[in-house]
Amino acid sequence: MQTQSVSSVPQWHLFVPKIYTVLRQGYTLADFGADVIAGFTVSIVALPLAMAIAIASNATPDKGLFTAVIAGFLISLLGGSRFQIGGPTGAFVAVVFEVIARYGYDGLILATLMAGVMLIVAGVLRLGTFIKYIPQPVVTGFTSGIAVIIFSTQVKDLFGLSMGTVPAEFFEKWSAYASHFSSFQPTTVALAGGSIMTLLLLRRVAPKVPAFLVVVAAGSVLVWGLGLSTETIGSRFGVIPSLPPMPSL
């Protein structure tokens, strides 16, 4: 059996979306059923994750949901992989939070467009190969630093602190936390701590169970059923729109 090398493939084939190739090969009812199950599974994962990343990035949860829907559709439609995996990563939280704090949401849109152009140029020039020269300690240090920054953006909600806008700068942020720490809410701290412990426990004893979904559902029912005094997405952001906003320039 002969295989075609990458170098022998016409250059324009590299820019053909994989969905076009797959549909040309034939799409059966069994394929559709498998895709429906996969899509339902991904939607369960994406629902709380999209809202959580948006809130952590200093945006509103509806922007996270609309971004997940639109970006997920475009990635699947135009992606070049048969098994496409696309979505936000936690490392973006620190970058997006800083951009929104300084330049607002419109500034974030502009920065995203600029980043997209840079990525296209880097891909055309085949600059991705230089990633292999980045030292592993640099990657580890970057990832660890991002984790610390993300945690620092969540302290206000973790302890239920009564304070205004959280500063974007790292040290100013922690100084503001310290000055408002006396306003922490015991109910919020207990609910957050219980959620973290449940996540860790389920990951150890039942790794196949979607722990995040169990925690979100159980926490929501607990707050609603017992009438706990803690901030919710509804009380903080109001009703989430059912339709995305119309595009505007």
Side-chain angles (χ1 to χ4, degrees), residues 13 41 47 52 66 71-72 76 82 89 94-95 114 117 120 134 145 173 182 197 209 225 227 239:
H13 279 193
T41 305
L47 178 64
F66 296 150
S76 300
R82 181 181 294 270
T89 176
V95 179
M114 294 169 61
V117 172
I120 293 174
I134 299 178
K173 194 191 313 287
S182 59
M197 294 301 298
V209 175
V239 179

Side-chain angles (χ1 to χ4, degrees), residues 137-149:
V138 173
V139 177
T140 303
F142 172 81
T143 306
S144 302
I146 288 294
V148 173
I149 294 175

Side-chain angles (χ1 to χ4, degrees), residues 39-249:
F40 181 72
T41 305
V42 171
S43 65
I44 294 176
V45 176
L47 178 64
L49 179 62
M51 291 191 295
I53 289 184
I55 295 173
S57 301
N58 201 24
T60 54
D62 60 297
K63 289 183 173 60
L65 288 175
F66 296 150
T67 299
V69 172
I70 296 173
F73 173 79
L74 292 177
I75 290 172
S76 300
L77 180 65
L78 304 176
S81 173
R82 181 181 294 270
F83 303 100
Q84 190 68 51
I85 300 175
T89 176
F92 278 102
V93 171
V95 179
V96 174
F97 186 97
E98 184 78 14
V99 173
I100 292 179
R102 291 194 178 190
Y103 305 106
Y105 189 72
D106 290 341
L108 174 65
I109 298 298
L110 180 59
T112 303
L113 292 174
M114 294 169 61
V117 172
M118 293 177 185
L119 286 174
I120 293 174
V121 172
V124 172
L125 298 179
R126 300 179 182 272
L127 299 181
T129 184
F130 290 103
I131 294 178
K132 63 185 179 182
Y133 297 110
I134 299 178
Q136 182 64 29
V138 173
V139 177
T140 303
F142 172 81
T143 306
S144 302
I146 288 294
V148 173
I149 294 175
I150 293 175
F151 173 76
S152 68
T153 64
Q154 301 305 295
V155 173
K156 174 180 179 291
D157 296 328
L158 180 65
F159 292 98
L161 303 181
S162 299
M163 55 187 298
T165 304
V166 178
E169 297 295 334
F170 181 79
F171 293 106
E172 293 180 5
K173 194 191 313 287
W174 281 97
S175 177
Y177 291 152
S179 61
H180 292 84
F181 191 75
S182 59
S183 63
F184 78 94
Q185 301 293 326
T187 303
T188 302
V189 175
L191 188 63
S195 298
I196 295 173
M197 294 301 298
T198 304
L199 282 171
L200 297 176
L201 181 62
L202 287 177
R203 179 175 294 182
R204 177 175 293 272
V205 301
K208 293 185 178 180
V209 175
F212 60 90
L213 186 61
V214 172
V215 169
V216 170
S220 301
V221 172
L222 190 64
V223 171
W224 173 76
L226 300 180
L228 300 179
S229 178
T230 187
E231 193 175 45
T232 65
I233 291 180
S235 64
R236 180 175 175 181
F237 300 101
V239 179
I240 297 178
S242 58
L243 294 175
M246 293 299 296
S248 60
L249 183 63

